[in-house]
Amino acid sequence: MTSLIRGLALLDVAELVADLGGDPDALMRSHGIDPAAAGDYNTFLPYPSVAAVIGDAAEELHCPDFGMRLARRQGIRMLGPVAVIIRNAETVEAAIEGVSRCLHHLAPPDSTALIREPQAAVFTYSTNLRRLAHHDQMIEKGLGIAMDAFQLMLGENFVPLRVTVQHRRIAPMQNYREMFGCHVEFEREVNSVHLPLHSLNQPIRGRDAAALALAENYLVGIRPDLAVADHVRDMTRRLLVVNHASLVAVARAMSLHPRVLQRRLAESGTSFEEILDDVRRDMAWDLSATGMQISQIATMLGYSETSSYTRACRRWYGESPRQLRARRRGAPESASTRPSPARGAAWPTPPTSPSPPS
């Protein structure tokens, strides 16, 4: 199980690969990506597969600055609705903060931040996937897109004070100077673009407040990190079967740091604990229909004590595990033995279809 990124990450990649003499369709299919998904905002792709396409293109086509070249072609178009915030925020600082707040809609593992120092404002960019192959190409592509955004907001002649990256140099220095217009420092602590402090207060020319409101309403209206929450739900169910469904285990399986995963889930309005509880509830519903012993069901759900499962079952369905099992097995119960709903809860009603009740 891997983290995902929208298909916009591969916007224009086919054209660039073809211009360099490669076969873009074969390249993408070799990594399990449908070429039609490249550039599609509504499609999510495995992040490592996208990185592999870009990294392999750089190697196979002898183009070490492939990530930066792709960034030039994509520009902020790659950011989809988040680009509207950049074009229409009130100031440069507001635009950066908007990107930092909404970037997870496009790439849940990615994050940006703005740090104020005495002499400069530092924009940082990171990808939180660990052991990601071709991480360097993805970072250089991301910083290249940031440069397009800054030149849009601050003028096409904008040049950063400094640019730093965490990885070693992978392309000729001239390529970096052409991209950023300044000296780039390698093997530093962060990936960053340094701006003059006063530039943060510069207003965005030609901004449209109505367009900004529409973009923000749209981004608020969609559920952020839906794909990540679904990933966690699926992985939790898989690991629960082997009694190993912890936050740390799920995060490791998704190549994320536990704190990063917690933050992404919080941004989507949920938590690992809530997802785990939902998965256990749904599994209890399914397992109860099999006639399995109550103690076995409790173990399958990851409870060390049957009493813990009993309390949870009463909270979920307003009845004991034995009563739930009897109901799911279709055994009729007399009115005197039918369970009462939990205090303040509605009667638990069997669903009309085999799927678990919501």
Side-chain angles (χ1 to χ4, degrees), residues 18-40:
D19 288 349
L20 293 171
D23 183 340
D25 287 2
L27 175 63
M28 285 186 272
R29 287 197 176 98
S30 70
H31 294 289
I33 292 178
D34 180 355
D40 183 2

Side-chain angles (χ1 to χ4, degrees), residues 85-346:
I85 295 177
I86 295 174
R87 294 181 181 276
N88 297 288
E90 187 171 355
T91 64
V92 172
E93 181 175 17
I96 295 174
E97 291 176 347
V99 170
S100 299
R101 188 171 61 251
C102 299
L103 185 60
H104 58 264
H105 287 284
L106 303 172
D110 291 357
S111 60
T112 63
L114 179 64
I115 302 171
R116 286 177 173 268
E117 294 185 346
Q119 303 301 322
V122 183
F123 169 84
T124 66
Y125 168 68
S126 62
T127 296
N128 297 315
L129 286 176
R130 295 175 293 177
R131 300 182 297 277
L132 177 68
H134 307 296
H135 177 271
D136 45 10
Q137 290 287 346
M138 296 298 285
I139 291 298
E140 291 186 1
K141 184 173 94 75
L143 291 178
I145 291 169
M147 273 298 298
D148 183 66
F150 289 132
Q151 289 178 336
L152 175 70
M153 295 185 290
L154 297 169
E156 60 182 15
N157 295 323
F158 164 75
V159 175
L161 301 176
R162 294 172 60 203
V163 172
T164 68
V165 295
Q166 293 174 306
H167 57 266
R168 63 177 180 81
R169 181 170 63 86
I170 59 174
M173 283 300 303
Q174 181 61 26
N175 296 141
Y176 295 100
R177 184 164 290 280
E178 290 173 358
M179 180 78 253
F180 300 105
C182 67
H183 181 68
V184 176
E185 303 169 23
F186 301 92
E187 299 182 87
R188 300 299 183 182
E189 292 185 358
V190 295
N191 308 302
S192 67
V193 177
H194 294 238
L195 320 170
L197 200 56
H198 63 79
S199 65
L200 295 180
N201 298 322
Q202 181 164 319
I204 306 298
R205 295 182 179 180
R207 66 181 296 263
D208 185 334
L212 176 64
L214 285 173
E216 290 181 334
N217 287 339
Y218 168 76
L219 291 169
V220 168
I222 64 176
R223 180 177 172 183
D225 282 353
L226 179 61
V228 169
D230 285 347
H231 258 345
V232 171
R233 190 177 305 277
D234 184 59
M235 183 56 65
T236 299
R237 175 179 282 271
R238 292 169 184 263
L239 292 178
L240 199 55
V241 173
V242 294
N243 199 24
H244 198 53
S246 66
L247 172 64
V248 172
V250 171
R252 184 185 300 114
M254 296 177 64
S255 299
L256 287 171
H257 191 282
R259 287 196 298 272
V260 173
L261 182 57
Q262 283 180 313
R263 184 174 71 247
R264 297 306 187 200
L265 291 174
E267 289 168 348
S268 72
T270 188
S271 67
F272 176 75
E273 290 73 20
E274 290 178 0
I275 290 175
L276 176 60
D277 192 64
D278 286 346
V279 169
R280 281 172 162 167
R281 180 196 63 193
D282 293 348
M283 286 183 66
W285 179 263
D286 293 336
L287 293 172
S288 294
T290 68
M292 185 181 294
Q293 292 184 3
I294 302 303
S295 59
Q296 290 177 303
I297 294 177
T299 299
M300 289 285 289
L301 298 182
Y303 291 111
S304 58
E305 300 289 342
T306 303
S307 59
S308 298
Y309 169 48
T310 299
R311 288 193 294 272
C313 189
R314 289 193 179 280
R315 174 167 53 84
W316 295 327
Y317 298 114
E319 54 193 339
S320 72
R322 293 187 183 280
Q323 291 166 328
L324 175 64
R325 185 178 62 179
R327 182 159 66 95
R328 292 289 286 130
R329 297 280 288 172
E333 295 183 8
S334 65
S336 61
T337 60
R338 189 180 182 187
S340 301
R343 181 173 297 179

